[in-house]
């Protein structure tokens, strides 16, 4: 207990401040962030039992103390529904450079998707920067509720259950004996074995928000002009990739579970709301599968002179052209209307492609292997320690490729396969002098390869041009060359 309430009546009362460090043991799974939040819920219940809770990540701080008043306006306004579970603020960061080459501000999520979510019952929990109602997380129970049923759900502590079934207003009493007894009870609630054989959850963020909305609760998305909370964004490719792999794993774990929104949502949510949740849950899987397909299938066909799209002169080619241009214009419109520039769109589009074939792929694969019992679920925290050299590269808009080979090899392999297919098509077109309308038949595939190469010029630069410590190592390029050769040979054997 860092600070108790002031004892003298005429003193300005400083709020009670308690630091909690939960017990962890190798023999008990601590459930990562969800487990930490569970401990804080229990301990705070018997110390303050506050009806509202502010949830912040460790690297976030409050930039405007009026955020609590803004959130309470929704909870206390008689015209707003009493079913509001939480008020979500966006995640904003103090160290975003002008180019934001890694999309660290997560523009599409907080400036586009969450505003759309807000119109159909509110967004899901973003993990940080929200005020949430305790009753929404723990439920409301009457004194007539069976004690043993409550203990099966919430554990053996009678003191904690007391906070659920009656208007419990605890607080530190000035005599030391009462405070000591209260701390002993809190230590029990923070122990690693407390959740054993109870229904305390191991899920956080997306699934918690989904579950609350399914029960009929609503949420609010509040995006004031002044950032209410500020944090430190990842400023290198390695940490950004780890962060998105973790998020992708969390979303995919819900998508392919019995709580899949397509199955678990329709009867309890509006059609639009459960479709929003479904789109978000399946985003990593759909993006990685589609991007891997577009990165290799048309190129392998191009390498083997197999036309995949209609001829340019064919009217059906316009369908593909319209879809492609519409996707580009849609993303460009979203960036420009939310305060970005054309180069912002270029950077967002590039990192989305890179993220889809690395982080989304590994996050989804991690969940699939875990479901098959072939791998334990992993959780890698993002390192937010500031490195001056990395920050300098970030501010200059230069990629820092000092990361694991598992993240670099797929990127380089895709680039090499596209280079091989595009160069071969150019050579064939020149040597054969456009015989049999080769250019017209293969234009769609050649353009796709060219577009991928231009969009990911930063990777080509890191492979060939740059020679600094943050460039792509030569051994990664050579290893990816072997992978590319295998893909081209196997693809040619299958297509022939």
């Amino acid at each position: 207990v860092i600070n108790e309430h002031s004892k003298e009546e005429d003193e300005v009362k400083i709020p009670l401040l308690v630091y909690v460090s939960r017990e962890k043991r190798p023999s008990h799974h601590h459930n990562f962030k969800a487990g930490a939040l569970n401990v804080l819920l229990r301990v705070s219940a018997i110390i303050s039992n506050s009806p509202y809770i502010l949830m912040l990540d460790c690297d976030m701080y409050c930039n405007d103390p009026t955020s609590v008043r803004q959130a309470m306006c929704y909870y206390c306004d008689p015209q707003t529904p009493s079913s509001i579970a939480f008020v979500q603020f966006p995640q904003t960061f103090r160290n975003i450079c002008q180019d934001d080459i890694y999309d660290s501000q997560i523009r599409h999520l907080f400036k586009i998707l969450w505003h759309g979510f807000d119109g159909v019952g509110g967004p899901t929990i973003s993990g940080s920067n929200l005020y949430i109602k305790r009753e929404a997380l723990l439920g409301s129970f009457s004194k007539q509720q069976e004690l043993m049923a409550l203990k099966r759900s919430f554990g053996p502590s009678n003191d904690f259950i007391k906070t659920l079934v009656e208007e419990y207003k605890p607080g530190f009493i000035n005599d030391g004996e009462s405070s000591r007894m209260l701390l002993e009870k809190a230590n029990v609630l923070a122990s690693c074995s407390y959740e054993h054989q109870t229904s305390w959850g191991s899920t956080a963020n997306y699934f918690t928000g989904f579950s609350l909305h399914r029960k009929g609760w609503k949420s609010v998305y509040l995006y004031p002009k002044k950032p209410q909370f500020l944090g430190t964004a990842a400023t290198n490719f390695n940490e950004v990739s780890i962060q998105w792999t973790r998020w992708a794993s969390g979303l995919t774990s819900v998508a392919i579970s019995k709580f899949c929104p397509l199955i678990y949502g329709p009867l309890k949510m509006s059609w639009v709301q459960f479709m929003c949740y479904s789109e978000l849950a399946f985003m990593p899987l759909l993006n990685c599968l589609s991007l891997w397909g577009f990165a290799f299938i048309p190129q392998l066909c191009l390498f083997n002179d197999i036309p995949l799209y209609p001829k340019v002169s064919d009217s059906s080619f316009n369908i593909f052209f319209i879809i492609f241009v519409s996707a580009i214009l849609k993303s460009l419109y979203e960036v420009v209307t939310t305060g970005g520039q054309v180069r912002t769109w270029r950077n967002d589009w590039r990192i989305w492609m890179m993220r889809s074939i690395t982080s989304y792929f590994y996050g989804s694969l991690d969940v699939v292997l875990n479901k098959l019992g072939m791998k334990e679920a992993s959780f890698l925290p993002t390192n937010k320690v500031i490195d001056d050299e990395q920050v300098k590269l970030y501010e200059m808009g230069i990629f820092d490729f000092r990361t694991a080979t598992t993240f670099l090899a797929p990127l380089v392999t895709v680039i090499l396969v596209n280079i091989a297919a595009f160069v071969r098509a150019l050579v064939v077109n020149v040597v054969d002098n456009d015989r049999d309308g080769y250019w017209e038949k293969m234009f769609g595939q050649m353009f796709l390869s060219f577009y991928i190469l231009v969009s990911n010029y930063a990777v080509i630069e890191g492979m060939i041009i740059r020679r600094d410590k943050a460039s792509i190592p030569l051994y990664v390029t050579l290893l990816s060359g072997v992978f590319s050769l295998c893909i081209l040979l196997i693809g040619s054997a299958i297509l022939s």
Side-chain angles (χ1 to χ4, degrees):
V1 178
I2 296 174
N3 182 70
E4 296 187 19
H5 289 293
S6 300
K7 300 177 181 180
E8 300 296 331
E9 290 295 328
D10 57 345
E11 288 184 9
V12 176
K13 290 189 176 181
I14 301 175
L16 172 68
L17 181 60
V18 180
Y19 179 81
V20 180
S21 179
R22 62 181 175 135
E23 180 187 28
K24 291 183 183 178
R25 293 177 185 269
S27 57
H28 293 81
H29 200 295
H30 57 77
N31 291 325
F32 312 118
K33 182 177 179 178
L37 291 172
N38 288 340
V39 168
L40 289 173
L41 278 173
R42 295 193 295 265
V43 171
S44 65
I46 66 165
I47 291 180
S48 67
N49 204 31
S50 59
Y52 302 99
I53 300 166
L54 169 62
M55 292 173 59
L56 286 179
D57 278 346
C58 61
D59 61 324
M60 286 280 178
Y61 66 89
C62 184
N63 186 54
D64 184 356
T66 66
S67 63
V68 63
R69 185 193 305 162
Q70 296 181 53
M72 290 304 113
C73 284
Y74 288 94
Y75 285 121
C76 301
D77 189 343
Q79 295 183 358
T80 58
S82 58
S83 58
I84 292 179
F86 59 92
V87 177
Q88 177 70 60
F89 291 86
Q91 291 191 30
T92 45
F93 305 96
R94 58 179 176 80
N95 62 329
I96 300 293
C97 74
Q98 187 176 10
D99 280 350
D100 190 18
I101 54 176
Y102 303 119
D103 188 27
S104 298
Q105 61 183 323
I106 323 173
R107 171 185 292 274
H108 183 64
L109 197 71
F110 293 118
K111 293 194 175 185
I112 302 294
L113 291 186
W114 262 214
H115 284 293
F117 251 118
D118 200 37
V120 289
T124 189
I125 291 176
S126 303
S128 181
N129 304 0
L130 68 144
Y131 290 91
I132 190 165
K133 188 182 291 186
R134 184 183 293 271
E135 180 187 344
L137 287 172
L138 298 176
S140 179
F141 305 93
S142 64
K143 290 184 179 180
Q144 288 72 37
Q145 203 85 19
E146 184 185 352
L147 180 62
M148 291 309 298
L150 289 174
K151 286 190 174 183
R152 282 193 295 271
S153 297
F154 297 104
S157 172
N158 291 326
D159 296 285
F160 176 68
I161 291 174
K162 189 188 299 183
T163 68
L164 302 173
V165 299
E166 59 185 59
E167 195 169 336
Y168 180 69
K169 295 294 181 185
F172 274 80
I173 305 173
N174 290 337
D175 66 90
E177 182 64 23
S178 299
S179 295
R180 186 185 62 80
M181 292 176 61
L182 193 59
L183 282 178
E184 288 178 357
K185 296 173 183 177
N187 282 326
V188 172
L189 293 171
S191 65
C192 60
S193 59
Y194 184 83
E195 296 179 9
H196 184 59
Q197 293 185 336
T198 70
S199 60
W200 279 99
S202 61
T203 56
N205 301 347
Y206 171 91
F207 182 74
T208 303
F210 175 54
S211 180
L212 290 174
H213 282 131
R214 190 177 176 276
K215 293 175 182 177
W217 291 95
K218 298 184 183 300
S219 60
V220 172
Y221 186 50
L222 195 53
Y223 201 133
K225 289 184 179 180
K226 180 178 180 180
Q228 302 299 292
F229 303 95
L230 287 174
T232 304
T235 56
N236 62 79
F237 185 65
N238 181 59
E239 299 306 329
V240 168
S241 299
I242 291 174
Q243 188 176 58
W244 277 99
T245 301
R246 188 175 69 244
W247 291 342
S249 179
L251 293 172
T252 306
S253 65
V254 178
I256 60 175
S257 71
K258 65 179 180 179
F259 302 110
C260 171
L262 291 174
I263 302 170
Y264 200 59
L267 298 179
K268 298 289 186 177
M269 291 178 168
S270 69
W271 186 83
V272 177
Q273 189 177 26
F274 93 77
M275 288 300 291
C276 287
Y277 267 105
S278 300
E279 191 272 342
L280 195 60
F282 284 96
M283 179 181 66
L285 268 175
L286 295 178
N287 282 351
C288 76
L289 292 175
S290 61
L291 263 292
W292 274 102
F294 277 113
F296 286 126
I297 296 174
Q299 290 73 11
L300 290 174
C301 291
L302 177 63
F303 192 79
N304 291 276
D305 300 334
I306 301 173
L308 201 61
Y309 301 115
K311 295 180 179 180
V312 177
S313 58
D314 195 328
S315 59
S316 59
F317 180 83
N318 294 332
I319 297 174
F320 294 91
F321 176 76
I322 291 170
I323 291 173
F324 178 79
V325 173
S326 298
I328 297 294
L329 292 178
K330 173 183 175 290
S331 62
L332 181 59
Y333 171 80
E334 289 176 348
V335 169
V336 172
T337 54
T338 54
Q341 301 174 350
V342 174
R343 66 179 179 182
T344 309
W345 164 80
R346 178 202 64 191
N347 294 334
D348 286 3
W349 191 264
R350 176 179 58 201
I351 197 66
W352 169 73
M353 287 192 281
M354 297 169 71
R355 184 190 300 150
S356 295
I357 64 172
T358 55
S359 298
Y360 288 167
F361 172 71
Y362 289 124
S364 301
L365 182 64
D366 183 71
V367 174
V368 172
L369 294 178
N370 176 251
K371 294 288 184 182
L372 296 175
M374 300 170 63
K375 185 178 183 296
E376 288 292 325
S378 59
F379 182 91
L380 295 174
T382 309
N383 179 19
K384 297 294 182 67
V385 177
I386 296 175
D387 182 288
D388 291 338
E389 185 181 356
Q390 291 177 344
V391 170
K392 185 177 179 180
L393 289 172
Y394 176 66
E395 291 175 346
M396 294 168 61
I398 299 174
F399 266 77
D400 186 343
F401 288 111
R402 284 173 290 188
T403 184
T405 304
T406 49
F407 285 122
L408 291 179
L411 295 176
V412 179
T413 302
V414 166
I415 293 300
L416 292 177
V417 169
N418 276 267
I419 289 176
F422 182 74
V423 170
R424 184 188 180 280
L426 281 179
V427 171
V428 169
N429 189 52
V430 171
V431 172
D432 287 359
N433 197 21
D434 198 25
R435 187 179 60 186
D436 300 326
Y438 182 87
W439 175 265
E440 192 179 19
K441 289 189 298 183
M442 297 298 182
F443 175 79
Q445 287 150 271
M446 290 181 68
F447 176 79
L448 181 60
S449 286
F450 178 74
Y451 181 78
I452 289 173
L453 294 174
V454 171
S455 299
N456 292 277
Y457 173 75
V459 180
I460 300 174
E461 184 184 45
M463 292 164 47
I464 302 171
I465 302 174
R466 289 170 52 188
R467 286 294 178 265
D468 56 276
K469 291 191 295 184
S471 63
I472 296 175
L474 179 60
Y475 76 87
V476 174
T477 303
L478 295 175
L479 179 64
S480 302
V482 174
F483 291 153
S484 304
L485 185 60
C486 292
I487 290 170
L488 291 171
L489 291 175
I490 293 172
S492 298
I494 295 173
L495 293 173
S496 63

